[in-house]
Amino acid sequence: MEETRGKAPWLRRPPMKGEGIASSSRRDSSGGTLMSAEERLRMMRVIQAREMGGSYHEDPYAPHAGAPDQATRKDNNKSSAFTVLLIAVTTVKLLLFTSYRSTDFEVHRNWLAITHSLPMRQWYVDATSEWTLDYPPLFAWLEFCLSHIARFFDARMLKVQNLNYSSPQTILFQRLTVVLADSVYIYAVSEGCRLLTSRLTSRSRNILYSPATVYSLLMLWNVGLLIVDHIHFQYNGFLLGLLQLAVFRVVERRFLAAAFYVSVALNMKHIFLYMAPAFGVYLLRQCCFPNSPHLDIREFNVKNFAALGSIFALVTAIAFGPFAVFGQLPQVFRRLFPFQRGLTHAYWAPNVWALYNGADTALTVLNKRFHFLVQSVQHVADSASSPDNSTLDAVPLVGTEQLKIQSLTGGVVGAGEPNILPAVSPSVTMCLTILGMFPALWSLWRAKVGTPNLASGDVFVRGLVGVTLSSFLFGWHVHEKAILLAIVPLTWLAISSANDARLFLLLSTAGLTGLHPLLFTPSEIPLKYMMIFLYIYAAFKVLKDRFSVVRLPGRRYCLPLLNRIETLYVLGFLPVEFYNAVVHESILGLCTKLPFLPLMVTSMYCAIGVVYVYVLIVIDLFRLSR
Amino acid sequence: MLLSKFRCLHEIGSVALFGVLIRWIISTNPYSGKGKPPMFGDFEAQRHWMEITYNLPVSEWYHNSTANDLSYWGLDYPPLTAYHSWICGFIANRINSSWIALSESRGIETESHKVFMRATAIIADLLVYILPICALGYQRRTHHGGFPYIIRICAEICVLLLAPPQILIDHGHFQYNCVSLGLTAWAILFVNDEKDVTAAVLFSLALNYKHMSLYLALPFFFYLLGRCHQAGRKAGSTKLVKIGAAVIGTFILCWWPYLWNFDDATQVVRRLFPFSRGIFEDKVANVWCALNIIVKLHRFNTGVLAAVSTLATLFGNVFSSLDLFRNPNDHKFRYALVNSALAFFLFSFQVHEKGILLPVLPATLLLTDDPIAATWFIIAATFSMFPLLLKDGLALPTYAMVTLFLTLSCTLLEWKLPRYGERVSKHGPQNEEEEQHQYDFACALMTISVMGFVILSLGCQFAPVYQRLPDLWTLLLSVYSCGHFVLFFIYFHVKQFEAQPILHKQRRKTMKAE
């Protein structure tokens, strides 16, 4: 079933692709073991035409699909691409065991210890380590289960007092749990492949660019997850697997299963609140008003509502129940929502507030030079030892005011407040987030009801991405890792429409590059750049081939699927990151003067891309819901 | 073959970058001798050479002195290694001079220094090893204006680049084998291109980087000799003189600082060939170590052993070398390289586990033509070094790399049995069925054999140690590997005798027609 929307005029699928391949492979199998000279010539022409920027009507790799060799043919079944990608990425994960791990490693070890050796009443109270338990209880239950296996590896990791304990067995165990927990994610990806093959069967017989292969490549090798889970250390793959399963159940219109997966995910990590409104609105609309194209309160389906509500309530009760019995709910929620942590995370996530803080910093610098503001902030600049020095962090650290400036550009966790622009309160971010979600929620509410049509799933996924991006852009104390919550569902859309593929390419370029400051140790710096570059390269490559982009003369100097400005933006990452990685420290020697400038530049540059994608998605939502 | 001739550069480049990425990931693992004073390991040896070469004048590099204690990782590689160490030392000095401070820097173990050393190995690998492998993979598919089958080329290059032994030793254990192997690969590339003089120069450089490249010297010699013989009396002798002059010139250039003093030169040679170390080290998977179980070899005189092992090595080389001389072609040449290196590994004096890297290089290049045997051999070679890798804490990366390599090899390459000579002409359903049977049989055998390796390697790690036989599992593993190598030695000989030229097939035919 072909997507009809989202087709820009410059994109065109080659007609009759499947047929061409089928016939050529037939010819191959009957013709003998070697490719004929004519065929070779024809392929040369096709490739040449393609390189000249012209169009072609056959898949250049078609003969490969019907490879003459028996052994190859035996291997080239549908599942093998998935299996190969899976095995390869798993071995890479194993190889990463000894690489850098962040404090999150100790965080999770501490949680293992807390859940194993303390009574349940103490779980959300204990503060032996500074890394207190701040995930919802279902995750604590998971850690509790894991800790019973951990005993067999090294029992000493389960002592709460053993802070920063990292014996080789501990590392092995914890890393292995992440790899094994990823099986949920892998199951979700295989479910996605199943859906894609059932949906887009007649498209292409070529294994290499079949939707399922492209999807499994983009998902299994998601570099963001490799960086965050397998180097930095967290369990996002597992949780995003739950999210994926929920999305697929919605696409299949199995809403109760979807509700179950969402509830589990929410009770595992409350970051899924970012997208919960999308699920809430869509499920309510689809389940509770199943028969009314126009909203009619008399047709409210109480039975479905009760079913949805009871699933959510049951999961939540299992998770939070014991703590409610202990009367610890306020304490648990204090741990879960630490509002004292400040507007932006240590490293600014690439969102609106990064731009806001960036603008504030720029104003501060300008103010120091031109003194256009005579306000309380003026003394910040005046107390500097060299007032005519225009660079911000040239100020030596003498007073608290300087610390304040430093903390804005710095990696200090805390409530860094802007100097010149007004401070932002949690309620403001809340209002902005809801406002930003509105278009997406509106489109979800307006979505057609009750059509058992897989394309309607895409409406939901697009709305979901809109909602998540809005939370990411406007939320309070957002982590840069949260961008994965938007990238993962967007991958699903990218497979079926070229316009969404373009959004995916932009968002993954901006979002994944925005993740790289997580890794800063010398041996991981080249690693992260290579990984991110290769992933983005591969994404461009496979999506370009998947949509068989034909370049128009006006788009000669553009990356596939992008227009000129977007191309410039994506290519702009190369000089920006080159400056950050090499020029700033080694050539200009500014790492002591302006230690945090590279982080600031990265997060602001990425923020521009994320905001742009958000705007495009909102426009799409309006366009499509009309 | 110039880089500009490549098409689809960025696809191949991205595959090469993937190879670099895997190497870099491996390099986050521990290296040999980490945290094991007073001698540490090969990592410290390489660092120490940078220290020595950077701080001392050239003439003192190989001599024992107060500043240069030869018993502490004294330089025992040929001069090109020393020059390379000097360059690395020069860069190290620019970055952080404490890394190579004379005698004060011994056993330095800082994170930034580790990254520096790892980076030097990976840069050397990229420039000297990865490039020719990419070029060879490209050349294999595009000879005589063949169609650049880009996906196939990329797939093959990807598998060639991920052969585990060299990656694990260079970037895990830590050495610069990539340089000598890479120079050899460059030489093979030029041999395929029929640029024999350049090839001879490059192989001489490889010899001057690591004298273990001698394992591969006989096939080069007989191939070039055979080519000269083939070219006819006059053209052949001119060519022979040219090649000889090029080789001698290269050697003179490399040994320049040591040629002016007889003592210096003999001292270097003495350092390179230490006969005092015994016939084999540790538990190496060769014939002598296996024989040692039955006959205790250390009771014999070292001189006798040396003579016997040299004779055995030469005997092992005779057939493949003569065959290559009579009929030099690119395909036989690759097989002959494997055979000769295996003969040296199995029979020669003072063999190290890492010597298996030398047959592995030509076997890697055979992956495209004889995928099953080459893959199997490479995996056996990886496991034969397992005790060494285990000591360095590289057990898990070894398993991971083998899995990765095996998976990619059996899906990205066309796994089939090689068919050469008369068997090619036979066609028909019955023959096809028979081939399918053979294929299944080969795969089954390989599965069983790899399982055996896995079990033995697990035994090395986890099995309880018996008081009377502390090295039982290691010894079993090395004997098991040795058995494999002997069988492969025979198999590759058979294949060499059957091999037909690949790259220059058409040209040969037209020549015959004329």
Side-chain angles (χ1 to χ4, degrees):
Chain A
M1 193 200 61
E2 173 63 70
E3 290 279 332
T4 45
R5 59 195 150 69
K7 254 192 157 182
W10 40 280
L11 298 167
R12 186 155 57 89
R13 290 191 212 298
M16 316 295 276
K17 201 167 161 194
E19 279 193 22
I21 293 158
S23 62
S24 68
S25 62
R26 227 176 290 135
R27 210 181 316 144
D28 266 328
S29 52
S30 61
T33 51
L34 281 170
M35 196 167 51
S36 69
E38 295 164 38
E39 192 138 317
R40 225 176 249 199
L41 210 69
R42 186 177 55 81
M43 283 176 59
M44 288 278 269
R45 286 205 196 105
V46 167
I47 286 274
Q48 271 167 7
R50 190 159 149 260
E51 279 179 357
M52 308 270 282
S55 64
Y56 64 101
H57 294 281
E58 275 177 287
D59 193 319
Y61 308 114
H64 183 67
D69 197 81
Q70 250 195 344
T72 333
R73 198 184 303 154
K74 200 170 65 182
D75 289 324
N76 274 3
N77 53 43
K78 282 277 177 199
S79 66
S80 87
F82 177 81
T83 320
V84 173
L85 289 168
L86 172 63
I87 294 178
V89 80
T90 309
T91 53
V92 169
K93 287 171 187 173
L94 295 180
L95 291 174
L96 285 169
F97 272 16
T98 48
S99 62
Y100 157 82
R101 49 190 186 278
S102 73
T103 46
D104 274 330
F105 181 82
E106 166 63 10
V107 170
H108 284 91
R109 189 213 55 80
N110 183 42
W111 295 354
L112 280 176
I114 286 177
T115 49
H116 187 81
S117 46
L118 294 181
M120 207 184 293
R121 279 171 192 278
Q122 293 286 314
W123 286 5
Y124 281 91
V125 180
D126 177 79
T128 316
S129 161
E130 59 178 314
W131 312 115
T132 51
L133 188 52
D134 58 3
Y135 274 26
L138 212 54
F139 198 83
W141 289 110
L142 177 74
E143 294 276 10
F144 177 75
C145 298
L146 289 179
S147 69
H148 283 278
I149 309 168
R151 271 190 310 174
F152 299 107
F153 281 78
D154 186 354
R156 274 170 298 174
M157 79 169 106
L158 298 172
K159 285 197 183 124
V160 182
Q161 313 303 332
N162 262 347
L163 296 184
N164 292 320
Y165 183 76
S166 58
S167 67
Q169 280 78 23
T170 313
I171 296 171
L172 181 70
F173 172 74
Q174 295 221 71
R175 292 279 197 195
L176 266 180
T177 56
V178 180
V179 173
L180 291 178
D182 267 359
S183 52
V184 175
Y185 183 79
I186 290 158
Y187 170 65
V189 176
S190 74
E191 282 288 292
C193 291
R194 186 176 59 78
L195 281 180
L196 279 173
T197 34
S198 71
R199 173 184 181 173
L200 303 162
T201 42
S202 61
R203 174 74 55 71
S204 167
R205 300 260 307 267
N206 187 343
I207 176 80
L208 283 167
Y209 294 108
S210 77
T213 312
V214 173
Y215 184 67
S216 39
L217 173 75
L218 294 179
M219 289 294 283
L220 291 176
W221 281 86
N222 189 325
V223 163
L225 281 178
L226 283 180
I227 288 178
V228 176
D229 281 11
H230 300 279
I231 303 180
H232 177 86
F233 197 86
Q234 266 186 358
Y235 290 89
N236 291 293
F238 163 63
L239 298 164
L240 286 171
L242 291 175
L243 168 72
Q244 280 287 288
L245 285 172
V247 170
F248 294 146
R249 295 301 172 249
V250 171
V251 170
E252 290 175 299
R253 307 190 68 75
R254 289 161 60 188
F255 294 121
L256 296 184
F260 171 74
Y261 285 120
V262 173
S263 317
V264 172
L266 259 177
N267 282 298
M268 285 270 183
K269 193 170 178 179
H270 47 308
I271 199 167
F272 287 100
L273 281 175
Y274 284 5
M275 47 184 36
F279 277 98
V281 167
Y282 193 76
L283 291 183
L284 275 181
R285 174 73 172 137
Q286 301 283 319
C287 287
C288 303
F289 301 98
N291 299 321
S292 60
H294 304 290
L295 192 61
D296 188 350
I297 198 73
R298 280 166 297 175
E299 294 200 24
F300 186 76
N301 190 328
V302 182
K303 211 174 99 187
N304 283 355
F305 179 76
L308 277 185
S310 58
I311 286 176
F312 179 73
L314 197 70
V315 174
T316 314
I318 290 173
F320 282 88
F323 302 97
V325 172
F326 301 145
Q328 285 182 341
L329 280 186
Q331 167 68 15
V332 172
F333 280 107
R334 257 202 305 283
R335 283 279 172 88
L336 294 188
F337 301 100
F339 273 104
Q340 70 279 9
R341 276 201 192 167
L343 177 64
T344 44
H345 184 54
Y347 154 70
W348 302 347
N351 62 7
V352 167
W353 306 123
L355 295 174
Y356 187 81
N357 282 348
D360 181 68
T361 315
L363 281 178
T364 315
V365 172
L366 287 176
N367 186 32
K368 250 169 75 178
R369 170 149 261 191
F370 301 113
H371 304 285
F372 57 78
L373 283 178
V374 195
Q375 279 178 10
S376 58
V377 289
Q378 187 61 55
H379 67 274
V380 173
D382 288 342
S383 62
S385 61
S386 51
D388 47 346
N389 192 341
S390 66
T391 49
L392 169 67
D393 290 308
V395 186
L397 281 171
V398 280
T400 47
E401 287 85 0
Q402 275 75 43
L403 262 179
K404 207 161 105 185
I405 301 177
Q406 198 88 31
S407 76
L408 258 182
T409 47
V412 189
V413 180
E417 286 193 354
N419 290 304
I420 291 175
L421 295 175
V424 183
S425 69
S427 50
V428 171
T429 63
M430 186 74 102
C431 292
L432 277 175
T433 310
I434 291 170
L435 209 64
M437 282 179 184
F438 186 73
L441 292 179
W442 178 244
S443 81
L444 288 175
W445 187 253
R446 292 270 315 258
K448 273 188 201 145
V449 170
T451 43
N453 181 350
L454 285 171
S456 71
D458 284 359
V459 175
F460 166 70
V461 179
R462 189 169 290 110
L464 182 76
V465 174
V467 168
T468 316
L469 274 181
S470 157
S471 309
F472 179 79
L473 284 177
F474 302 109
W476 178 263
H477 193 81
V478 173
H479 283 238
E480 63 281 359
K481 298 157 216 154
I483 195 67
L484 291 174
L485 297 182
I487 291 177
V488 165
L490 193 56
T491 318
W492 171 256
L493 292 180
I495 304 303
S496 37
S497 109
N499 189 42
D500 290 324
R502 158 175 165 243
L503 296 183
F504 167 77
L505 289 173
L506 286 170
L507 187 68
S508 54
T509 311
L512 296 178
T513 316
L515 286 177
H516 84 75
L518 282 174
L519 309 179
F520 50 84
T521 45
S523 93
E524 272 72 21
I525 288 173
L527 190 62
K528 68 185 183 187
Y529 284 125
M530 278 191 276
M531 287 168 86
I532 293 171
F533 177 83
L534 268 178
Y535 181 74
I536 292 170
Y537 172 83
F540 270 102
K541 177 94 186 130
V542 293
L543 287 175
K544 174 187 149 206
D545 289 336
R546 160 126 189 81
F547 293 107
S548 312
V549 182
V550 179
R551 280 188 198 158
L552 295 177
R555 297 196 173 248
R556 187 162 296 157
Y557 299 109
C558 297
L559 289 170
L561 296 159
L562 304 188
N563 64 30
R564 236 174 234 175
I565 296 169
E566 292 158 356
T567 304
L568 268 182
Y569 174 74
V570 169
L571 292 180
F573 273 103
L574 294 174
V576 166
E577 290 308 322
F578 182 72
Y579 173 80
N580 288 345
V582 181
V583 179
H584 185 74
E585 191 181 331
S586 308
I587 298 178
L588 295 180
L590 290 172
C591 59
T592 47
K593 263 185 173 177
L594 295 166
F596 304 113
L597 184 71
L599 297 183
M600 214 170 97
V601 171
T602 303
S603 80
M604 287 175 63
Y605 196 72
C606 294
I608 295 170
V610 179
V611 170
Y612 178 74
V613 171
Y614 171 72
V615 171
L616 286 182
I617 283 187
V618 168
I619 292 173
D620 270 1
L621 285 168
F622 274 124
R623 195 163 50 82
L624 295 171
S625 67
R626 231 186 299 125
Chain B
M1 184 143 120
L2 290 168
L3 209 63
S4 61
K5 275 205 233 162
F6 279 101
R7 297 174 58 162
C8 314
L9 246 180
H10 64 106
E11 278 101 343
I12 295 177
S14 66
V15 172
L17 188 62
F18 183 68
V20 175
L21 174 72
I22 294 291
R23 282 162 170 76
W24 196 281
I25 292 177
I26 295 279
S27 79
T28 60
N29 283 282
Y31 46 81
S32 62
K34 188 179 187 181
K36 286 177 192 157
M39 281 305 273
F40 304 96
D42 273 324
F43 181 86
E44 170 64 10
Q46 300 288 346
R47 191 211 56 78
H48 181 65
W49 294 351
M50 291 179 199
E51 172 196 333
I52 292 298
T53 49
Y54 186 74
N55 289 306
L56 298 180
V58 182
S59 55
E60 288 183 30
W61 287 354
Y62 289 91
H63 282 287
N64 205 8
S65 66
T66 46
N68 185 11
D69 177 12
L70 285 184
S71 63
Y72 184 80
W73 300 115
L75 196 52
D76 54 3
Y77 276 21
L80 213 53
T81 296
Y83 305 144
H84 180 215
S85 293
W86 182 84
I87 294 171
C88 292
F90 180 79
I91 298 167
N93 189 48
R94 292 292 293 271
I95 299 172
N96 184 346
S97 55
S98 73
W99 291 341
I100 52 157
L102 192 59
S103 73
E104 280 167 21
S105 57
R106 281 192 186 180
I108 185 167
E109 283 187 336
T110 63
E111 190 56 31
S112 54
H113 178 243
K114 178 188 168 187
V115 174
F116 166 75
M117 295 290 280
R118 295 299 203 186
T120 58
I122 283 173
I123 289 167
D125 197 325
L126 177 64
L127 295 179
V128 190
Y129 184 82
I130 293 181
L131 277 184
I133 293 286
C134 291
L136 279 162
Y138 187 83
Q139 187 190 42
R140 168 77 180 79
R141 285 280 161 198
T142 53
H143 55 280
H144 281 271
F147 178 71
Y149 219 168
I150 190 62
I151 287 193
R152 182 53 55 80
I153 294 173
C154 286
E156 285 175 0
I157 291 176
C158 184
V159 178
L160 296 191
L161 284 181
L162 293 182
Q166 180 262 340
I167 299 183
L168 287 168
I169 291 297
D170 278 8
H171 306 291
H173 176 86
F174 200 86
Q175 270 192 344
Y176 293 103
N177 293 299
C178 51
V179 178
S180 60
L181 295 177
L183 286 169
T184 313
W186 276 116
I188 297 172
L189 184 71
F190 280 101
V191 162
N192 290 344
D193 238 16
E194 304 195 323
K195 298 202 170 76
D196 297 335
V197 180
T198 325
V201 170
L202 283 162
F203 185 67
S204 314
L205 288 177
L207 274 175
N208 277 306
Y209 191 87
K210 195 164 179 174
H211 49 303
M212 222 200 256
S213 308
L214 273 174
Y215 285 16
L216 300 170
L218 285 176
F220 269 96
F221 176 74
F222 281 104
Y223 177 81
L224 295 177
L225 199 66
R227 298 262 305 154
C228 294
H229 179 69
Q230 217 173 32
R233 176 164 291 220
K234 198 171 175 200
S237 46
T238 330
K239 196 172 180 180
L240 191 65
V241 170
K242 266 193 208 163
I243 293 174
V247 170
I248 293 170
T250 315
F251 267 84
I252 289 178
L253 274 181
C254 289
W255 287 67
W256 191 257
Y258 302 101
L259 291 178
W260 307 107
N261 187 336
F262 186 71
D263 272 354
D264 282 353
T266 47
Q267 171 65 13
V268 178
V269 174
R270 262 201 304 279
R271 292 289 305 157
L272 296 190
F273 300 100
F275 268 92
S276 52
R277 281 212 215 163
I279 190 161
F280 63 89
E281 261 185 42
D282 292 342
K283 296 282 177 286
V284 60
N286 75 354
V287 168
W288 306 123
C289 184
L291 208 62
N292 192 43
I293 301 172
I294 309 163
V295 191
K296 292 293 166 211
L297 290 176
H298 56 84
R299 285 184 303 183
F300 293 94
N301 185 351
T302 316
V304 175
L305 286 177
V308 169
S309 62
T310 312
L311 274 179
T313 314
L314 286 180
F315 184 72
N317 269 303
V318 162
F319 304 105
S320 109
S321 296
L322 281 183
D323 179 56
L324 188 66
F325 172 71
R326 279 181 50 205
N327 200 352
N329 69 49
D330 59 296
H331 201 195
K332 272 186 195 295
F333 179 53
R334 294 184 192 198
Y335 277 116
L337 285 171
V338 184
N339 286 330
S340 164
L342 262 181
F344 271 95
F345 181 80
L346 287 173
F347 303 115
S348 76
F349 189 78
Q350 231 287 300
V351 173
H352 196 271
E353 294 108 310
K354 284 171 253 168
I356 199 64
L357 289 178
L358 288 141
V360 163
L361 172 75
T364 310
L365 303 180
L366 281 172
L367 272 170
T368 43
D369 306 313
D370 192 353
I372 300 180
T375 307
W376 190 353
F377 176 69
I378 289 171
I379 288 174
T382 316
F383 276 110
S384 80
M385 294 185 294
F386 189 81
L388 183 81
L389 295 165
L390 179 64
K391 227 184 281 171
D392 300 337
L394 292 168
L396 187 64
T398 308
Y399 290 123
M401 278 309 293
V402 168
T403 317
L404 181 65
F405 175 69
L406 186 58
T407 316
L408 292 186
S409 167
C410 71
T411 49
L412 296 185
L413 300 177
E414 292 176 65
W415 266 31
K416 60 179 181 197
L417 293 169
R419 285 170 293 177
Y420 307 121
E422 290 162 17
R423 274 189 280 161
V424 179
S425 56
K426 271 194 263 169
H427 269 304
Q430 200 186 348
N431 200 44
E432 219 166 79
E433 201 174 283
E434 188 189 313
E435 264 164 24
Q436 185 63 35
H437 276 301
Q438 286 176 356
Y439 171 83
D440 289 342
F441 180 65
C443 287
L445 264 186
M446 178 172 169
T447 314
I448 294 167
S449 129
V450 173
M451 293 301 277
F453 275 117
V454 171
I455 291 167
L456 285 174
S457 66
L458 287 174
C460 288
Q461 291 177 78
F462 300 115
V465 179
Y466 298 108
Q467 288 294 310
R468 292 180 57 198
L469 295 165
D471 289 333
L472 176 69
W473 288 94
T474 321
L475 194 65
L476 278 179
L477 184 60
S478 75
V479 171
Y480 188 66
S481 321
C482 178
H484 275 79
F485 295 152
V486 170
L487 291 177
F488 274 117
F489 184 62
I490 297 164
Y491 171 82
F492 284 132
H493 263 93
V494 174
K495 285 296 156 195
Q496 183 188 337
F497 299 141
E498 286 178 355
Q500 299 291 320
I502 297 175
L503 291 175
H504 302 291
K505 207 183 297 175
Q506 289 166 357
R507 194 180 297 178
R508 294 269 180 279
K509 269 182 192 162
T510 51
M511 274 168 70
K512 260 180 203 166
E514 280 163 19

